[in-house]
Amino acid sequence: MLFTKNKFKYFKYGAFLALLVVSISSCNKFLDLKPASEITDPTYWKTANDFKLAANFFYQNTLDDPHYSGTNNSDNMSDIAFGTQTDAVSAGTYVAPETDAVWDNAYSWIRNANKLIQEGSNAELGQDIQPYLGEGYFFRAYNYFTLVKLYGGVPIISKVLLPSDPEVFSKRADRAVVFDSILRDLNFAIADLPVKKDAETGRICKEAAQAFKARVCLFEGTWRKFRGLTGADSLLEQAYSEANNVIASNAYSLYEAKGAESYRYLFIDATSIDNPESIIVKKYRTNINVNGWAYGVSWGNLNPTKKWPMPTFARTACR
Amino acid sequence: MKLTIAILLACCLQASAHVYSQKKISITLSNVRLSKAFETIERNSDYRFLYNAKAVPDNLRISIQATDLSITQILDKIVKGNGLIYNIVNSKVIAVTSAKEMMRPVHVTGMVTDRDGHPLAGVTIMIQGLKRGTVSDENGHFEIEAPDNGVLELSFIGYQRQEVPVHGGQPLSIVLREATKGLDEVVVIGYGTRLRQGDLTGAVTKLSADKIESRPVTGTMDAIQGLIPGVTITRQSGQPGNQGYQLAIRGASSVNGNVPLVLIDGIPGDLSLINPEDIQDITVLKDATAAIYGARAADGVILVTTKKGKSSDKPRVSYSYNLAMKTPGIMKKATTTAHFVEMFNEANKNDGDPPAFSDSTLAKIAAHDPGVGKGENWSLQSYPMFYGSKDWYGDLFKTALRQTHNINVSGGGNNSTYLLSFGDMRDNGNISAGTNASSRDNLRLNFQTRILDNLKLDANVSYDYLDTKTPSDLNDAIDNGLKVFSYVPVRNPEGNYYGYQGYENPFQELEQGGNRRTRDSRWGNNFKLEWTPIEGLVWTGQLGINLERYDDKAYYSTNIEHNWDNSDNLLIRNNPNSAYFNSWSSVYKNYSTYLNYDKTFGRHSIKLMAGASREKFTRETENMSGADFSSNVIFTLPLSDPKNLSAGDYWDDNSWALLSYFGRAGYSYANRYFLEGTLRKDGSSKFAPEKRWSDIYPSISAAWKLSEESFFKNTIDPHLVNLFKIRASWGRTGNQDIPALGLFDYIQLISIGGKYPIDGSTVSKMAYLNGIASPERTWETIESKNLGLDLALFDSRLSLSFDIYRKNNNNMLVSVSYPSTLGAVAPSSNSGKLLDKGWEFTGGWNSKIGKVQFNLGFILNHNSNIVTDLQGQDSYNLGLTTARQGYPLNSYFGFKGTVIRTKQQLDDYAAKYAGKGIVPGLQPNGFGGLGIGDIMYEDIDGDGQITTYGDKSKGYSGDAVFLGSQDPKFTYSLTGGLKFDNFDFAFILQGTGNKYVWRGNGNFGVPLSQFWFQPLDYFYGKTYTEQNQNARYPRLSNNATVKNNNYQFSSEWLENTKYLRVKNVTIGYTFKQIVLKKFKLESLRLYFSGQDIFEWAKGTWDGMYDPEEATPDVNNPAYYENNYPMYRTFSFGINANF
């Protein structure tokens, strides 16, 4: 009797303890945490503003920055300044690097453009996001044009890749194929983008895309013309007609706000918000986007000649 | 005030433990043993029981329900009728025995001594079978009422336990033998499992409090350096509150950081902030033994047990004080003015330039002319020249004091014990200008109580606070102390801080550049319930909640230096003024529950444990900054220009969680064979749901005590070899505590940030893909193996231990590079491999010669690692490289160079290599090109030119080769102590084998790296000249081509900084039983102690660099320049017990 009672007691204890152990861990949801301060892909892409922010990315990143587009010392190649060290390119000692930021950056921006196009094509927001989808196409074309100018034919990536996708290891496409792709994107962009007067101030519009397409066609048309390749004439004709479209649109005019001084103030007018002469520009504004390296004059790197436009310069201090 | 509260509280606790009910007794007992029934009565009355355990039937169970009954009524119920009789002896003691054998209590007196006949005071004498006893007095004498034919158990720390039978009232004379040190000590190896040290199957080391107490250290990390085999501690700086200690157990297990898990009373904590005086012991699990902690145990586990109160009649109060003097012992020194001009002119000569400094200037410098003259230094001709010499860097530092107070009060009654401790440390920095100090406060209450007979509560509450103040521009000021030329005066003739050209005046920077303050507060709450429903079975539930709040505020005040003519220097520092505010708070919750079951039957003994735990950590970070404040003294954000207010990038509110199941089974037979196995499975929120759960991490370990075998005992005298044990273990642990692993890396994240004026005037933000999601990643798994041998010789006076181990990380997270067409950096994948291996040898000798008690300890560790697979990520740079396939972590790669000392050497070298690869063309006299005194490099790949990487397609691997690792393979320490009467003495020596450092890519690691900075004085007279052809270093030059050749990363500049350092020497004297008027002191110890007082070291450049220094970050070459120098500590201290 005593024995069985004991047995029951053990069982009771055992059951209770087992319950205690199990109670803390039964739910797997404990590990399903949600980011509380970060935005995730599945929750994004719900409003037109989401697409607008995604399109904004390209303005800050892909548009050429006049300072970074060359070297800090590119004035040394002119007669207003000189360097104290031999230029590796002119000395013939320049070795092509294994990696290049232009290549890496372009594909990183293309990845974002692909994402915008992919999400925009699937979204049900319709008209509301059409301009941003157009900007996605435009900037994808813009980046491929940057690549093709420097490298010729490059791999064409038209979706958001994962490391496991075989496309990561795509071969370089034929130069002509890259241009076909650029022009196709630009045509989509021209179709999607609003005309300048309907577009938000400063954003890429239909006329800007047309002007860019004219430049692309002129570049490649000329390239082919002088190499006797096919398609040259057709490209040059497109350049001509797109340029005419821009002229006919009357969307742009010369900047004349400062009268005779207008040329001097073309890029430095602090009061001008949207210059009528500018089609696609990188913008600077105090406290928002500033270029701190306008004149990187320093001992040994950039030495002005008498032709230097500024009368004086300050030597940067040693620290 | 704080002390008063502490004592008051102690008294209350004391009083509550002594409340008895006086007459009538109410108890309820159901089916308990008789001994249990007696205990319950003892707890509820003044009565004490004496009984002969052998006389009472084992299976006797008592059930009684008594309300307000007298003792005799109760005794009648439970004693009579069970074949027992009782006798109330003196209205206090109740004797019980079987009716057959009438037992009588006897008055026993005795005397306890050690082997040399010295009386032992404080020995605990317990009556077997009863939870009652006494303590021997100062003369070793004791008296106790004990049952005749009963047994007394004697125990005393440091001595073997002994049982003495009682035969009538005859006086006893007992000799206690010293404990076979360590072997019987109980070691906790996680989740309630306790083992005797001698029974361990894994590589486990225990360090007890006496090794870390009463030393002039800044914290626990400082205190345990060199004391635990296999554990290395490095430090990075002498800056108060920011010493940057790093802890590693047995080297590295991953390229992704190696952080051992530190548990304080079972809950994760931080060794750097806990008060070392609160630590009872530290146990380190180094091999597969750690696998029971699976998820975070890849780098071993450190279990810290804090001190607990002990039952005593009155509160025990102890107080300690330490006053430490910190002298900056190891410091860089810039050239004196005389040395600088000499070296500069030497460089001019080598370059074919006219000397910069004229003979008249040299003469004035030699004469210490106090005047001012025309500038001659390069590009500083339009600034004045001075002729004095000032040690700017040296003057930036001074001797500083550190004071530490600790007080703790402990005690308790039968049911409850407590320990209350308070520690306060005020550490002043060695910087001589500005405010630089840190203070640490630690408050802790450890409280243990029996809520019910079988339910124990263990509550530990602690508060740690670290407050650090530094000048905001501290690091900047430190390297500017080397940059300002020695000839420049600190102040101009008007007494204002002088700003020489664009050089920052470090004194002004420290005093006027603004202050930074960081405050770190931690509250630890740790509650543990232990329920023992039946003998051997213990359920434990533990809840730990740690709260932390960290604040970092830095103000940068605008300040203007003055020119020599007292006009304002055009360069305005910190313009506009600015401030940043960075704070975070975190909550960590840990709930664990587990069951332990221990059973011994015959010669078999089993231990079982199973449990689960869940942990969650949430941290909220806020960070903002402002600029252009309207005040230069008060920096509150509303005073900032609203246009300059900004929220920092690092602003988050995120969590991680871990869920774990674990179990352990142990079996031992006849104290000879030991077998133990553990299983653990963890889930981490850091991985995608499909990859979340780890495999089951197993471990198995076994030990065999040969010394217990009869064949062993028959051949070898057990007094000669009392322990001979072999151990083996194997196990797997997981790693997800990887800094590079984001909390939500498995989800594609979108970042929103940036600012750009799309419309020309307003800010537009932008959204972009943040990296690539990595749903494929999972746990790193580390497999570890260990073989060990433990020996105890000459009755444990000599103990030796040897362990050999191997750790394999077979799916280490490494970055695999993909073509850029992927468009982002690919997430790391589980595809790397790392092998870490080594051995440890520990020896200890404890003995006594006459009255002198002494001990010696020796630790020797050998550890090495190799990155066996990095998925072809074989890229490396010249200099320090974190990981390269086929080499140890943190290896240096560079050229092998030697100085060209003869014309013949130059011609031979130039004929082959001049103008090829990195080697400049030969120039007449070496002016501006290759010449005598330059470094020539070995063409290791034999391609006829000196290049870093070579041309792999042609089979040339380049000339940069492995030169050594920053991490030493050998680390060792020697410790010792002796006690003679009231004197005590102890020392710790600690050192390393070869380890390498290169300081060359900053401004001072090579002489005249820039002509606008003076070199270190170390290089004076050590550079090649015609007169000094055996010089260690190449010729001086200001020519870019020559310097570029000589200052390549090469073996010429790599230093081996192996060292042996006198870490600590302490000498103390203890006064016992002092009575000062009404005040009685139990003991008072006075001691002198020195820390880091001396070293034998190589590669410190005449004591300019601390040999322990090693850059914590490969990408931070400035570390060696702006690092806060180390100091030596000399201190005086008091320990008092009341």
Side-chain angles (χ1 to χ4, degrees), chain B residues 435-474:
Chain B
T435 313
N436 180 217
S438 82
S439 64
R440 192 191 69 208
D441 287 316
N442 300 92
L443 189 61
R444 171 175 287 275
L445 173 64
N446 287 354
F447 179 69
Q448 282 75 39
T449 188
R450 279 188 185 279
I451 298 175
L452 297 170
D453 272 359
N454 54 13
L455 187 62
K456 210 177 107 189
L457 170 72
D458 197 339
N460 305 318
V461 184
S462 65
Y463 172 70
D464 303 307
Y465 176 69
L466 182 68
D467 184 343
T468 305
K469 290 173 189 157
T470 50
S472 299
D473 290 321
L474 179 71

Side-chain angles (χ1 to χ4, degrees), chain B residues 871-940:
Chain B
Q871 292 290 302
Q873 291 296 290
D874 207 8
S875 63
Y876 63 98
N877 302 316
L878 281 177
L880 191 56
T881 302
T882 311
R884 182 181 171 193
Q885 194 165 310
Y887 294 93
L889 295 173
N890 300 322
S891 286
Y892 282 105
F893 294 91
F895 300 106
K896 283 191 167 169
T898 42
V899 175
I900 300 169
R901 297 177 197 278
T902 63
K903 180 83 174 61
Q904 186 62 44
Q905 279 177 334
L906 176 69
D907 291 344
D908 292 351
Y909 181 67
K912 281 191 203 160
Y913 304 111
K916 293 184 201 161
I918 58 156
V919 183
L922 191 65
Q923 294 294 335
N925 301 319
F927 295 164
L930 192 63
I932 297 177
D934 284 339
I935 296 181
M936 56 179 177
Y937 300 103
E938 257 180 66
D939 181 16
I940 287 163

Side-chain angles (χ1 to χ4, degrees), chain B residues 565-632:
Chain B
D565 61 10
N566 208 34
S567 57
D568 286 356
N569 192 311
L570 281 178
L571 284 164
I572 303 171
R573 306 291 171 191
N574 297 338
N575 187 29
N577 61 19
S578 62
Y580 73 77
F581 303 82
N582 179 18
S583 66
W584 51 262
S585 47
S586 66
V587 181
Y588 169 79
K589 287 182 190 168
N590 178 317
Y591 176 47
S592 47
T593 176
Y594 45 91
L595 276 174
N596 274 288
Y597 183 70
D598 287 13
K599 180 86 182 165
T600 304
F601 37 94
R603 309 172 83 180
H604 309 270
S605 169
I606 55 164
K607 283 176 191 285
L608 298 172
M609 188 276 290
S613 77
R614 59 196 278 175
E615 298 167 65
K616 191 176 176 186
F617 177 85
T618 306
R619 181 154 90 173
E620 280 178 68
T621 306
E622 291 159 359
N623 126 37
M624 57 211 125
S625 62
D628 219 348
F629 288 77
S630 32
S631 161
N632 204 26

Side-chain angles (χ1 to χ4, degrees), chain B residues 857-883:
Chain B
F858 180 64
I859 295 172
L860 178 61
N861 305 310
H862 184 272
N863 173 275
S864 62
N865 61 61
I866 181 166
V867 180
T868 43
D869 191 349
L870 260 188
Q871 292 290 302
Q873 291 296 290
D874 207 8
S875 63
Y876 63 98
N877 302 316
L878 281 177
L880 191 56
T881 302
T882 311

Side-chain angles (χ1 to χ4, degrees), chain B residues 122-159:
Chain B
V123 177
T124 308
I125 298 117
M126 297 290 288
I127 299 162
Q128 197 171 59
L130 278 176
K131 289 190 173 158
R132 197 159 54 72
T134 184
V135 175
S136 65
D137 65 16
E138 290 106 76
N139 305 316
H141 184 79
F142 69 91
E143 293 183 32
I144 191 169
E145 301 290 335
D148 199 4
N149 299 323
V151 175
L152 298 181
E153 289 177 359
L154 282 82
S155 59
F156 189 46
I157 291 173
Y159 289 82

